[in-house]
Amino acid sequence: MMFETLEVGKQIKPGDFDKLEGPLREQLLRAQLELAERDYPVIIVVAGPDGAGKGSLVQQLNEWMDPRWIETNTFWEHSDEEESRPFFWRFWRSLPGRGQIGIFLGSWYTRPAQAAIAGSMGASEFSLYCKQIEIFEQMLADDGALIVKLWLHISHDSQKSRLQDASVHRQATQRGSNLSYELHGTYQRTMEVSEQLILATDSSHSPWQLIEAEDSHYRDLTAGQLLLQAMLNRAGREPREGGADSAREEMLVEGQPTVLDSVDLSLKLDRDQYKMRLAELQERLHHLGWQAYLEKRSTVALFEGWDAAGKGSAIRRVTRAIDPRLFRLVQIAAPTDEEQAHHYLWRFWRQLQRDGRCTFFDRSWYGRVLVERVEKFASPDEWQRAYSEINQFEQQLVDHGIIVMKFWLHISPAEQKRRFHAREQTPYKQHKLTEDDWRNRARWHDYEIAVDQMVSHTSTRHAPWTLVSGNDKRYARVQILETFCDKLEEALNKK
Amino acid sequence: MMFETLEVGKQIKPGDFDKLEGPLREQLLRAQLELAERDYPVIIVVAGPDGAGKGSLVQQLNEWMDPRWIETNTFWEHSDEEESRPFFWRFWRSLPGRGQIGIFLGSWYTRPAQAAIAGSMGASEFSLYCKQIEIFEQMLADDGALIVKLWLHISHDSQKSRLQDASVHRQATQRGSNLSYELHGTYQRTMEVSEQLILATDSSHSPWQLIEAEDSHYRDLTAGQLLLQAMLNRAGREPREGGADSAREEMLVEGQPTVLDSVDLSLKLDRDQYKMRLAELQERLHHLGWQAYLEKRSTVALFEGWDAAGKGSAIRRVTRAIDPRLFRLVQIAAPTDEEQAHHYLWRFWRQLQRDGRCTFFDRSWYGRVLVERVEKFASPDEWQRAYSEINQFEQQLVDHGIIVMKFWLHISPAEQKRRFHAREQTPYKQHKLTEDDWRNRARWHDYEIAVDQMVSHTSTRHAPWTLVSGNDKRYARVQILETFCDKLEEALNKK
């Protein structure tokens, strides 16, 4: 899930690449030069499936910067020396010194990934191993190290075609001992294990960056920008607020596609079909609501989306089908004083209903990585670590048996404009349109980037996002109701 | 192991208590008042076996500070409300707001401790649970919370006598649902589980403080001082360097016993006995060294101790018995430039020998919590988090099959003085006595405190300390050799 949402076709045209490469290179070199005077090392982990271009990226980074002060580590050959010492010894001895850069092309992530995919490492050994990784990275971060972890992703199809390429084959063969696991048709399993690995090791001190690697120009430039930004932030040259995400924005300013572009906004339902399907689905949901109550299974469903995307009216179509004693609808607006005085997740924890009930959130904890990010109410540190905090939170809900559903209501900018004007002209709807709405609209692009990253970081197997095609309200409502019924039914049957 | 080393009989006389209580109370109140203006909460966890006086301590803290701004949480009764929501919901809803203090008398540590002791929670569930705790505390710490975790310890005998006390019994009965697990003769198991729990959750952002709780005055004053110091440090009122441990020193300045006082320094061996035992043990060790090699089991043995305690000559007695091809002796002095440029553990990792060899460290990674602490080369943050870093490091060695032995060579101050003077008067020994030695001697007391805390924090089941009675060199050497042989033999046989 997580990875599929990355497959949106981001790319940089060769001409643009040439324009952007020069300044980036210059800045990277300068950052590297300054690093030499600093008392911390930079540790870069490059990971991802075979064929994603990890090697080429590392080559590019070496080209952009001064390779004399970069050490690239691979760990292809397992030496006797390594085998006869504790596993992490090989990484300890390869760590860069303060002021230096170490790139880990193979790393502490390679073994658990390969072993779990090959089936030779069980779940509890895997999680123990993840714990070791965390301890290791925490130690380095506590000591001041800047850790930049880049995960390159490519689709199954691209991987297949790339791995058929003779040169890649040759390279894989030359490495010899390196298990080319993906060659054996285990792409899906690779993605599953990778997601687990990322979720278990995504922390505030060493977060993962996910990069779509279909296009090598986009891949290299984005990786370079993320690295540069991390180095500048760490050096404190840029103010922390607002600085951290400028690299990504820069990259996307040129009109990169986002996950939202994968939503087909032309989908429609005519009135008759709509009425029929609505009645049918509401009837179904009514029964499922009671069944869930009897089986003591809770649902947490949250709705996010553009202003005027129709969240409110869609939620009403869902709640109308459920006995009011079985659900609560929580509207999330600005936090109260008391809420403000706690961790931002506190206000959501307190709203959880007892087993067997539904809790609907009209806007949610995702405000942290949407409005709070875009409006800079949260610092980059805060919203960046929120991805893993949110994943952990939702994991706890799911572990308790709660069914978590997340809907993003998507509409086009043109459709939003149409609806805003309609509101202006309809007296009883005028109150729904505020200054804020126009202001948010002007930030459409910032929100688009925030949504794109939110979806790729939090569309987990345990709590995936559903992107709703919202230009046609009827279609959107039916899509939501149907998804809701399907997921609820599936969860109840699985139990 | 960890806990036994705490049982040294620390206590405060009633008169001293009265003298110290007033100023402490005043400062705590002031710190609390200032906290109200700050944008972070203080979360105090009080844990330990039944009978250790957790309740009395909490009462004392409430008395010292303004109870209107402290909330004490117990979680004795498990409510339906709690049971029908994710487990951590109960803790989330009880969290103090920014500027406030929350005391957790029962906490997220209660369930895993009780369940693991009762045998109803397996190892993998236990470690999953520890991971949950870590995530929870990390989230709170990232959000700014100051987390102070106090572990009160009492010996088995004291527990027995206290739990026979009628009033305690009544209290336990009144609580009703609270499982008084220790009443059922499971003290040893309780200690085992507690050690695991502490090791798994001792982190740089929320470290455990271990307090000997035999004497209620010492217990309360120490807890109060630790809390005060943590609050002052967090508020930044005191410079970070050198400030953090002044509370503990203050407490101990009055001549509290330390774990070193448990060493019987009167032990002696006469020359004949010594010669016989030495020859016998060296012969035994010689064979064990080869056996370990053949079985590919490594040993890491480190030696720490007072200046002139006889480390060097003792190590020679050990190495002489082992084939030189099977061991390496590493002398730890000031780090090289290259070592300086890495994490402080890097220099020790790089010295690890291949499977089947012995590595002897004359001084070791414990320098971090000894000389670097006392001489303030390491900041309080750095040496405090070193306890868990070291425990993790040694755990990795043990997990790989390495046998870890740690010796502290203890002598009395008088004996040290005698040896210093002897060195002054023996020409070929004069070079062994430096200015530093006299300076260190003047800091005897600071080192005593550092050793005491080092031993209680790092005398783990997987790598316990051996305290060597060193006033008689012959006795010390035989004790070391014998311990070495016994441990090696035991490990080889267990394999």
Side-chain angles (χ1 to χ4, degrees), chain B residues 57-72:
Chain B
L57 169 61
V58 170
Q59 211 166 350
Q60 181 66 271
L61 292 176
N62 268 289
E63 233 166 75
W64 280 339
M65 293 185 283
D66 188 333
R68 286 171 302 174
W69 307 105
I70 300 179
E71 252 189 80
T72 302

Side-chain angles (χ1 to χ4, degrees), chain A residues 80 84-85 89 92 95 98 131 134-135 142 204 340-342 346 349 352 354-355 385 392 400, chain B residues 80 84-85 89 92 95 98 131 134-135 142 204 340-342 346 349 352 354-355 385 392 400:
Chain A
D80 285 3
S84 68
R85 291 179 174 88
W89 177 79
W92 274 96
L95 289 174
R98 304 181 202 285
K131 168 105 181 138
E134 250 197 292
I135 290 170
D142 278 344
S204 50
Q340 199 73 265
H342 287 84
W346 184 79
W349 270 102
L352 295 181
R354 302 186 58 162
D355 285 345
R385 72 168 180 260
Q392 307 282 11
H400 183 70
Chain B
D80 286 0
S84 67
R85 289 179 175 89
W89 177 78
W92 274 95
L95 289 174
R98 303 180 202 286
K131 167 103 182 142
E134 250 198 291
I135 290 170
D142 278 343
S204 50
Q340 198 73 266
H342 287 86
W346 184 80
W349 270 101
L352 295 181
R354 302 188 59 164
D355 285 346
R385 73 167 179 262
Q392 306 283 9
H400 183 69

Side-chain angles (χ1 to χ4, degrees), chain B residues 372-435:
Chain B
E372 291 189 45
R373 168 184 175 171
V374 172
E375 298 288 343
K376 307 207 193 304
F377 300 150
S379 70
D381 264 4
E382 285 174 333
W383 64 254
Q384 271 170 355
R385 73 167 179 262
Y387 294 132
S388 74
E389 290 174 336
I390 287 172
N391 286 334
Q392 306 283 9
F393 171 50
E394 292 174 355
Q395 179 77 61
Q396 282 193 58
L397 301 186
V398 171
D399 286 347
H400 183 69
I402 298 173
I403 303 141
V404 177
M405 302 189 202
K406 310 189 291 201
F407 296 95
W408 175 268
L409 268 81
H410 185 47
I411 52 174
S412 65
E415 175 63 18
Q416 189 189 48
K417 199 170 183 184
R418 206 188 54 70
R419 294 186 187 180
F420 278 6
H421 286 306
R423 284 181 177 184
E424 280 179 327
Q425 278 142 32
T426 315
Y428 72 92
K429 278 189 177 172
Q430 276 165 9
H431 74 279
K432 289 179 83 175
L433 194 69
T434 67
E435 279 296 310

Side-chain angles (χ1 to χ4, degrees), chain A residues 361-492:
Chain A
F361 287 92
D362 185 352
R363 302 199 186 275
S364 68
W365 41 96
Y366 283 97
R368 189 73 162 185
V369 295
L370 295 170
V371 57
E372 290 188 47
R373 166 184 177 171
V374 172
E375 299 288 342
K376 308 205 192 306
F377 300 150
S379 71
D381 264 3
E382 285 174 334
W383 63 255
Q384 271 170 353
R385 72 168 180 260
Y387 295 131
S388 73
E389 291 174 335
I390 286 172
N391 286 334
Q392 307 282 11
F393 171 51
E394 292 174 355
Q395 180 76 61
Q396 284 193 57
L397 302 185
V398 171
D399 286 348
H400 183 70
I402 298 174
I403 302 140
V404 177
M405 301 190 205
K406 312 190 288 200
F407 297 95
W408 174 268
L409 268 79
H410 185 47
I411 52 173
S412 65
E415 176 63 20
Q416 188 189 50
K417 197 171 185 184
R418 207 188 55 72
R419 293 186 188 178
F420 278 9
H421 286 307
R423 283 181 178 182
E424 280 180 328
Q425 277 144 33
T426 315
Y428 72 93
K429 279 189 175 169
Q430 276 165 8
H431 73 280
K432 290 178 80 175
L433 193 69
T434 67
E435 280 296 309
D436 275 359
D437 292 325
W438 289 106
R439 202 163 44 99
N440 289 342
R441 185 174 159 75
R443 302 227 166 134
W444 186 280
H445 192 68
D446 294 342
Y447 276 101
E448 225 173 355
I449 294 168
V451 172
D452 192 41
Q453 289 179 1
M454 169 187 86
V455 171
S456 64
H457 276 95
T458 61
S459 214
T460 53
R461 248 155 254 266
H462 60 267
W465 275 98
T466 300
L467 305 180
V468 179
S469 170
N471 269 10
D472 181 65
K473 286 200 174 188
R474 292 191 289 253
Y475 184 87
R477 292 169 190 168
V478 166
Q479 189 191 347
I480 289 170
L481 264 166
E482 189 161 33
T483 308
F484 201 102
C485 288
D486 288 351
K487 293 204 170 199
L488 192 51
E489 198 167 63
E490 191 196 326
L492 292 175

Side-chain angles (χ1 to χ4, degrees), chain B residues 198-212:
Chain B
I198 288 175
L199 289 178
T201 58
D202 194 27
S203 62
S204 50
H205 49 77
S206 52
W208 276 106
Q209 307 285 356
L210 311 178
I211 301 172
E212 184 182 12

